[in-house]
Structures are given as C-alpha cells and as structure tokens.
Amino acid sequence: MTSDQLLFGVFPYLCIIIAIGGSIWRFTSDRFSYSSLSSQFLESKQLFWGSVAWHYGILGILTVHLVGLLIPDSILWWNTVPMRMYVMEVTGFTLALFTLVGLLFLIYRRFRHARIRAVTSRMDLVLLGVLLIQVVTGLGIAIFYRWGSSWYAAYAVPYLWSIFTLKPNVSLVSNLPWLVNIHILNAFVMILIIPFTRLVHFLSVPVEFAWRPNQLVRWYKREKVVGPGV
Amino acid sequence: MDVRAQVSMTFHLDKCIGCHTCSVACKNIWTDREGTEYMWWNNVETKPGTGYPTKWEDQEQYKGGWQPKGETIQLRVANKASTFANIFHQPHLPTIDDYYEPWTYKYSDLFDSPEGDDQPTARPVSLITGEHIDINSGPNWDDDLSGSMIYAANDPNFNGLTAGQKEAFFELERMVLYYLPRICNHCLNPACVASCPSGALHKRGEDGIVLLDQEVCRAWRFCISACPYKKSYFNWKTGKSEKCILCFPRLESGQPPACFHSCVGRIRYLGVVLYDADKIEAYASAPESELLERQRDMILDPHDPEVIKAAEESGVHFSMVESAQKSPVYKFVKEWKMALPLHPEFRTLPMLFYIPPLLPVLGYIEKGLYNVDTNDYFTSLDKARVPLKYLANMFTAGNEEQIQGVLEKLLAVRTYRRAEEVGDVEAGKLEEMFKKTGLTAEMCEEIFRLTALPTYEERFVVPPMHREAAAELLAEDAYDFKAEVGIGGFKDRPGRGS
Ligand code: SF4
Ligand code: SF4
C-alpha cells in the first residue's frame, strides 16, 4: 500500500468511523458535555466580531461545498463562462475571508482575556489550530489557483463520492497540488475531532424550535385519575 | 377546562427582616460549585435599589419577558427567526459584570509572607481567573443602601413618579427601605421555556415546577435574557444554564424548599393552587390593566365540585386537590386578594405572590425630636412614606387603586387587632374599614393568625408529590428499576467488572 493510499484511501474511513462512533458514544454516555460552551457570558463585545463573521462565513462556505458535492455539474456548468467563474471564485474568497477574519478574532480573543483563558481547554486549542489550517489552505487555493472551484467539482467531488460508495479512487486527488491535498486531509481531521471537541454543538442544531409550541410540559404520565370527583 | 396543579408561593414582605438566611441556605445546597459562585437562585434585595443583576427590572436593557403583539404576545428578546439569526452572538445577553465577578481572598499570603514592617494582607483574587481584582460589586452590594444616589436613585420603579415624589425618597427624614426576597417564580407562561431553542426548559406537568434539563441544554443562552426576573443563570464553567429547582428533591420527601424552611422572618408560605391551563395564552395577552385580575381568575376554587371533577379528568390526583384546599397561597391570593405577583406586566404569569409592605407613616422632626401623627398612626395611607405609585410599579403594573386596596386590607387587619388588644379604636371606624375592604372580623382574625401565628404545617402545605408512583409511571413494572442507581434517568445497575 502506498502512502497515498494510506492517506486518501484509509485515513478518511478511520476519521469518519471514529467521528460517528465517538459522537454516539459521547451522546449516550456523557450527554451533559454536549454544549456549544459559549463564553459570551464572560466576554461579549469581541465575540460579536469573531463569532458572527466566523459562523456566517463558514455556513456560506459549507453550503457551497455541499451544493458542489450534490450537484457537481452545476459548478462545472457555471464555470464554463470565465466571468462567472470569477464571480464564483470571488464569492468563495470573500466568504473565506470572513471566516479567516472571524477565526483570527476568536483566537486573539481567546488568548487576550484572562477570563476566556480560564475556560479554554487543550482541545479548544487543537480545534482552533485545525480550523485555522483549513481556512488558510482554502483561502490559499482560492488565491493561487483560480480554477479551484472547478477542481473541486471535477476531482474532489468524485473522490468524495468514491469514498462514500466505499470504492476509494485515490488517483483522483493524489496528484493535485499539495495545498489542495492538505485541505482535503485536514477536512477529515476536522471530522475526526468532532466528538472530542466542542464541535459537537453543530450536531445539535435546534431545528425543532422552528415549529414547536411556546410552552413545554413534561409529564411522567398523564391519565385520568379516578377519585371522589369523577 | 384543562386543570393543572401548581406549587406556588407567597412572601409576606412586612415580615422580611433582610437577614439573607434564605440566600445562604440555598447557596450552601445548590450553588457552591465552580461556575455558580455568582449565582443566587434566592437573593434578597433592598428596595428602592437596583437589585441583582443591576437594574434587572429595566427591560429596555435586558429584553426580558413578553410584549404585546397584535392580539397576542411575543418574547421581547427574539422571535423564532431572530433566535436562529442571533444564536452565534445573542445581542442582549447580560455578562458576568452585570452580576459581579466572584472572588475569594489569598489567605495563604497571611501565612507565607516574609517578615516585614507591615502586616500582610489577603488580597482579593478572582474566582474565575485567579488574578488579583479590585472589587467594585458583589452579592448584596447595595444592601440597606436606600437613599444612595448610586443605587437607590437608579431604581427602575421610579418611572412615572413625580420629581417631588422621587426626591422625597432621598430626604433623610423620609428615607425608607424594605426587602424583596426573590426566587424563580415558576411562572405559568414562562419566558425562559418559550425562548429555549433546545427545549431544555420545561414545566413539570404534575406540580408546575420549571426545570432546566442540562443534558438537553446546549448553551444557546436565550433563557438568560428571556427571563424578566433574571432567574435563569449561565454556568460559565460547565457551559450549561441553571436555575432554581424549588428544591424538588426536598418537596418530594415532604419538606419545604430550603429557603422556605430556613426563613427567619417566617415570611414564606407554600401551597398548591389549581389553574386552568387553557387560559394561559389569552390571559397573558390581556391588556395591562387587567393582567392582575385575569391571573387571579385563572386560579380555580379547589372546593368547587366542578373543578374537582375537571381536575381528575385532567389527571390531577385527588390528593393534590385536597392539598390545594388547605393551601395558604390560595387564601392570600384568591380568597383575600392580598398577595400580588411581582411585575405582572412582564406577562409570564409568575406564581410567587407578594403581600406588599405596609410601611411606616411619615415622621417629622420637631425640636430635635422624631414625631409621628399618633392619631393616624395605624390608619393613614396618605402619609405612607412610600408613594403608592412606587409600589404599584412593582406589583400592579402601575395601578395605584389595586395596591391601595391591598394596603387598606392590611390596615384593616391591623386596626382590628388593635381594637382587640388595646381597645382604643372607635367601633364606627372599624366598621367603615370593613365596609371599604370587604373584610369581616372573622376574616381579619384568620388573616392575622396566618400572618402572625401560623404553624409550620400551616405555612408549608407540601403536596404529596407521588414520587413513589413516578417509578411506576415510567415503566410497566416498577421492579424494572430495582438495584439501579442514579436519579432522573435511572442509570445502569452497578455491575461486577471483568
Ligand atoms: S421566573 Fe424566569 S426562570 Fe422562573 S419560570 Fe419565570 S421566566 Fe422562567
Ligand atoms: S430568610 Fe426570610 S426574613 Fe431572612 S431575608 Fe430571607 S426571606 Fe427575609
């Protein structure tokens, strides 16, 4: 087995399996620890600039990645006209810039305030490091390779599908520039650390809130009781 | 009719001596952990004053509670859409500085300092960062500081008072204060529950206690802002919110909550009331002037056979109904209409009711001696030191008539007792007061007894919580849980390792 096969053919599965297994294990054995661990209560002003920019940026970027993953042809088709490709690249670049600025703000804030340092764990630092690598490499791809988005659709997406369908096709990505390869591998690291960091909070997006009634009541069991009144 | 039982409370403010025993009892049991040092699920604040957290009553700042919107009401802090939009940074969240930064002292310095010319001191260090801090706020920082231009002068309840009335609070001869002990109100229309994106907060169906399920909480922080009483707190260490649980483990074993049990002034009463849950939304949306009346309407007469029948059909155990029949809260709130909710205009339908303080009448200084109008000592409201408007802002959404009605009842009881004990009250005067307040001599006697001489069992009518039945309700066979450990979720049986 070559190192490429190890990195792109085996490592992703390891990450995904550990992530899924770990998240389930943590959810069943230590549900209390599932939390976004917000530190807004200790410092609010700087968090605004960091957290809002980061989250909206990353949500935009993930959405674009997801669209590409599901309908890669849409991106290839879009990019057939050079002007449109620039729009795509610039949009991606702007969103990435948002995430980078947000992330740098968050990192600065975490080191700057004694109160925030007091609630910072080792895994928080690991997480920030992994995210920083991901954003910087992503941004690098957008800057140095103007056709990055087409590559994603043409090579990375088929590769990802080959992973999902259990027929990993390593050759699709192993020859891409190293910057892209780091981006891909680090993405799997990001998945890997989900159950070990506060990233678990994105597994509990409170969708149900959108339609649930205002008041919640929990009963042990509610049933008519026969007493002197009835 | 959807009848439910609610464990509710009454605090008699005239009896509170501001000793903070309640707060300390609570702290020792529930909030002596890291991350909770700053929390006071029970706190006692001085009124007039800014309270805890500072100026919590000012909803322009904190955005707590509900506000009318068309025919109905909506949370002030966020609607459904803005909850999602603001989940990454909640714009109205108070920070720890609105409460205070918890601290301790570096006592070891007292022992470890090298010999020198000066006494060593133990400097304060933050309990969060461990670094030295200068303390400029703390628990009960404005205790007894009525008349202070820093604290009392910023009391949000001064809204609507004339300049003269406001000034009077700060004249030495007129200075006045009373204490306001506060816990979670276990509201019928809790804003904390409605705001929680995760659905962690909920009301217990059987007794109406509002609880926060920490296994479901994800630190979205909306409850902190949404509760207009600021009785949901954020644990900065665990990243979970926490709140008063009304000592439900104590209630389940037949004891009143610790703050009730330990209350030195014996100001606290606890008992069940039955209410009609179908009315919650409509009544919480009523015009401000009707809120108090509507909330009283919602509470049902536990002696009424119709109510009893409906209660059982709605799954309320008859033992709860029996308990409600003996409830001191029912008497104070519904029968005598003397206990009032705190800030009904927040529209959460709080179920902790306060009997407002009948503060001393105004004194004056003459020839260096302090005097009062003795003739009118027991009967004058016009000369009360606290303008009715101030009390009205706290307890009746600004309606002075309603607060006056309650104070007149308190006066009537006082006058009745004076007639009994001292006998210097003209018969006509008492009759007149009875007529005005709708009280009778028997009622006054009963109010007096429940106010001044109640036994432990009369103050705390703890309902049977049927904890024993809870296990049966969770499974077909109660023996399923045999030998299991843990509370709540029933954890696994402790097994032999391999
Ligand atoms: S007082 Fe606040 S925390 Fe308690 S039930 Fe009401 S809204 Fe919720
Ligand atoms: S223990 Fe009772 S009397 Fe003392 S402060 Fe608390 S409520 Fe008031």
Side-chain angles (χ1 to χ4, degrees):
Chain A
M1 196 180 273
T2 64
S3 63
D4 278 350
Q5 270 170 331
L6 260 184
L7 283 176
F8 296 101
V10 178
F11 180 65
Y13 286 110
L14 264 180
C15 294
I16 294 173
I17 290 170
I18 294 178
I20 295 178
S23 300
I24 294 175
W25 164 77
R26 183 165 162 188
F27 191 73
T28 45
S29 71
D30 188 13
R31 197 168 305 177
F32 179 82
S33 73
Y34 262 65
S35 169
S36 60
L37 294 179
S38 165
S39 54
Q40 193 188 348
F41 186 65
L42 297 177
E43 196 289 319
S44 184
K45 286 199 187 82
Q46 289 186 359
L47 182 75
F48 172 80
W49 299 105
S51 179
V52 172
W54 160 258
H55 279 99
Y56 279 107
I58 197 71
L59 280 180
I61 293 216
L62 284 178
T63 313
V64 177
H65 278 70
L66 197 68
V67 170
L69 185 65
L70 296 178
I71 19 180
D73 290 345
S74 65
I75 294 196
L76 290 175
W77 166 80
W78 177 272
N79 284 352
T80 46
V81 182
M83 194 52 217
R84 291 203 303 221
M85 185 176 94
Y86 284 124
V87 172
M88 168 72 87
E89 292 290 320
V90 168
T91 316
F93 182 73
T94 322
L95 284 172
L97 215 56
F98 256 97
T99 52
L100 182 68
V101 171
L103 190 59
L104 289 177
F105 232 108
L106 289 176
I107 293 173
Y108 167 74
R109 167 180 177 272
R110 196 153 279 280
F111 288 104
R112 162 78 182 67
H113 299 280
R115 283 180 187 172
I116 306 298
R117 284 201 304 274
V119 290
T120 300
S121 69
R122 202 168 296 152
M123 281 319 279
D124 287 341
L125 301 179
V126 173
L127 175 61
L128 287 172
V130 172
L131 293 181
L132 191 62
I133 295 177
Q134 195 64 2
V135 175
V136 169
T137 51
L139 206 57
I141 296 170
I143 294 174
F144 297 119
Y145 307 105
R146 264 168 300 153
W147 47 91
S149 56
S150 290
W151 272 0
Y152 173 65
Y155 296 98
V157 169
Y159 162 70
L160 285 174
W161 279 111
S162 78
I163 294 276
F164 296 150
T165 49
L166 305 182
K167 285 177 244 136
N169 186 350
V170 174
S171 59
L172 277 169
V173 288
S174 53
N175 292 324
L176 293 177
W178 61 270
L179 202 58
V180 182
N181 279 346
I182 294 181
H183 193 71
I184 293 176
L185 288 176
N186 196 58
F188 286 111
V189 175
M190 233 161 66
I191 293 173
L192 169 72
I193 61 174
I194 289 174
F196 309 105
T197 61
R198 61 171 69 198
L199 267 190
V200 285
H201 75 274
F202 98 85
L203 299 176
S204 34
V205 181
V207 266
E208 213 190 314
F209 181 68
W211 60 82
R212 79 158 168 82
N214 274 332
Q215 297 306 343
L216 293 182
V217 182
R218 286 195 200 171
W219 300 85
Y220 281 122
K221 190 186 218 173
R222 197 182 194 193
E223 58 183 13
K224 188 165 144 175
V225 272
V226 184
V230 180
Chain B
M1 196 156 35
D2 177 10
V3 181
R4 289 188 201 159
Q6 170 74 42
V7 177
S8 20
M9 308 143 269
T10 297
F11 289 2
H12 198 311
L13 292 186
D14 262 335
K15 298 176 74 184
C16 179
I17 56 174
C19 61
H20 303 284
T21 310
C22 45
S23 308
V24 174
C26 175
K27 171 132 296 263
N28 281 338
I29 299 183
W30 300 119
T31 58
D32 61 346
R33 297 157 286 133
E34 201 183 4
T36 64
E37 308 92 338
Y38 83 95
M39 292 182 201
W40 295 88
W41 293 356
N42 180 111
N43 77 299
V44 184
E45 41 199 62
T46 300
K47 284 283 157 192
T50 44
Y52 159 86
T54 310
K55 291 180 82 178
W56 63 272
E57 288 154 295
D58 181 0
Q59 303 310 345
E60 291 304 311
Q61 179 184 343
Y62 285 105
K63 305 284 178 204
W66 304 82
Q67 63 191 3
K69 184 173 179 256
E71 292 289 279
T72 168
I73 48 175
Q74 95 176 16
L75 288 176
R76 210 171 267 172
V77 63
N79 57 28
K80 297 252 174 189
S82 59
T83 298
F84 287 106
N86 290 335
I87 208 159
F88 310 124
H89 180 273
Q90 207 261 84
H92 311 296
L93 187 78
T95 66
I96 192 143
D97 296 311
D98 292 304
Y99 304 76
Y100 65 89
E101 181 161 355
W103 76 88
T104 182
Y105 295 91
K106 223 172 156 209
Y107 295 106
S108 57
D109 284 355
L110 297 180
F111 301 98
D112 303 342
S113 305
E115 214 176 297
D117 291 338
D118 303 308
Q119 288 278 3
T121 51
R123 283 178 68 191
V125 286
S126 161
L127 277 173
I128 300 178
T129 63
E131 293 173 5
H132 289 302
I133 55 168
D134 288 323
I135 305 165
N136 45 31
S137 174
N140 295 306
W141 206 243
D142 60 350
D143 205 22
D144 293 353
L145 286 183
S146 85
S148 139
M149 292 316 274
I150 307 173
Y151 300 106
N154 289 315
D155 188 323
N157 295 299
F158 284 150
N159 270 348
L161 267 69
T162 64
Q165 280 173 323
K166 264 186 233 171
E167 260 167 45
F169 272 96
F170 302 96
E171 280 168 28
L172 200 55
E173 296 78 28
R174 296 184 62 132
M175 219 163 265
V176 67
L177 71 85
Y178 61 96
Y179 300 104
L180 181 72
R182 304 200 296 119
I183 66 172
C184 165
N185 299 289
H186 298 277
C187 309
L188 297 187
N189 186 35
C192 56
V193 174
S195 73
C196 174
S198 307
L201 283 139
H202 60 278
K203 235 173 143 54
R204 281 218 307 201
E206 282 72 13
D207 47 32
I209 297 174
V210 176
L211 294 180
L212 193 156
D213 186 340
Q214 292 202 316
E215 298 213 332
V216 178
C217 171
R218 296 287 179 269
W220 304 131
R221 327 174 286 294
F222 281 88
C223 60
I224 317 288
S225 286
C227 170
Y229 302 93
K230 290 292 159 285
K231 282 295 169 192
S232 185
Y233 299 87
F234 190 72
N235 182 321
W236 56 266
K237 184 73 186 177
T238 60
K240 300 274 168 168
S241 297
E242 303 187 6
K243 66 179 287 299
C244 158
I245 58 176
L246 203 60
C247 286
F248 73 83
R250 288 174 58 96
L251 287 174
E252 281 167 2
S253 55
Q255 305 172 81
C259 56
F260 286 71
H261 204 152
S262 63
C263 177
V264 174
R266 303 189 174 186
I267 80 157
R268 299 178 177 222
Y269 302 82
L270 177 129
V272 170
V273 298
L274 304 177
Y275 70 100
D276 184 358
D278 282 339
K279 304 237 167 76
I280 293 176
E281 192 179 337
Y283 281 16
S285 315
E288 211 159 81
S289 55
E290 291 170 26
L291 280 170
L292 174 62
E293 267 316 306
R294 293 284 186 98
Q295 189 173 356
R296 271 195 199 126
D297 283 350
M298 221 159 115
I299 297 173
L300 302 167
D301 178 359
H303 301 279
D304 181 347
E306 283 298 306
V307 171
I308 299 177
K309 186 158 174 276
E312 288 181 346
E313 262 154 18
S314 314
V316 177
H317 200 276
F318 184 68
S319 53
M320 270 286 183
V321 178
E322 278 183 313
S323 182
Q325 291 172 346
K326 287 182 261 165
S327 164
V329 179
Y330 180 77
K331 288 194 179 121
F332 276 126
V333 175
K334 181 93 176 182
E335 259 182 56
W336 303 326
K337 298 191 177 28
M338 290 169 73
L340 305 167
L342 179 61
H343 290 298
E345 74 276 16
F346 296 163
R347 296 174 186 272
T348 60
L349 304 176
M351 290 310 269
L352 160 53
F353 300 88
Y354 292 88
I355 299 173
L358 185 58
L359 291 155
V361 294
L362 180 61
Y364 56 92
I365 308 261
E366 202 178 66
K367 296 194 194 114
L369 288 177
Y370 184 80
N371 280 303
V372 282
D373 261 331
T374 37
N375 290 341
D376 246 4
Y377 192 82
F378 288 100
T379 51
S380 166
L381 267 188
D382 319 326
K383 293 210 173 79
R385 286 202 211 189
V386 174
L388 287 180
K389 183 71 190 166
Y390 179 83
L391 288 176
N393 279 346
M394 278 182 76
F395 298 110
T396 57
N399 184 325
E400 288 177 55
E401 234 168 81
Q402 282 169 338
I403 197 93
Q404 180 160 358
V406 175
L407 295 180
E408 274 164 0
K409 283 182 185 166
L410 288 167
L411 276 176
V413 176
R414 210 182 261 196
T415 314
Y416 162 80
R417 280 308 298 173
R418 180 150 184 112
E420 294 280 296
E421 293 288 330
V422 189
D424 64 349
V425 180
E426 299 159 30
K429 184 158 190 185
L430 197 55
E431 281 310 313
E432 197 186 305
M433 292 182 96
F434 282 164
K435 217 156 94 210
K436 200 163 164 195
T437 56
L439 295 178
T440 62
E442 293 76 52
M443 281 165 109
C444 284
E445 183 64 27
E446 211 187 333
I447 295 169
F448 159 69
R449 298 206 77 82
L450 196 56
T451 306
L453 309 167
T455 62
Y456 176 93
E457 285 78 15
E458 284 165 337
R459 283 186 284 141
F460 311 128
V461 182
V462 179
M465 310 284 269
H466 298 290
R467 187 70 183 128
E468 75 287 357
E472 288 166 27
L473 293 170
L474 287 170
E476 287 306 314
D477 182 1
Y479 287 106
D480 280 356
F481 299 118
K482 203 171 174 187
E484 287 189 351
V485 292
I487 49 170
F490 289 98
K491 310 268 189 234
D492 287 343
R493 293 177 173 82
R496 182 187 161 84
S498 52

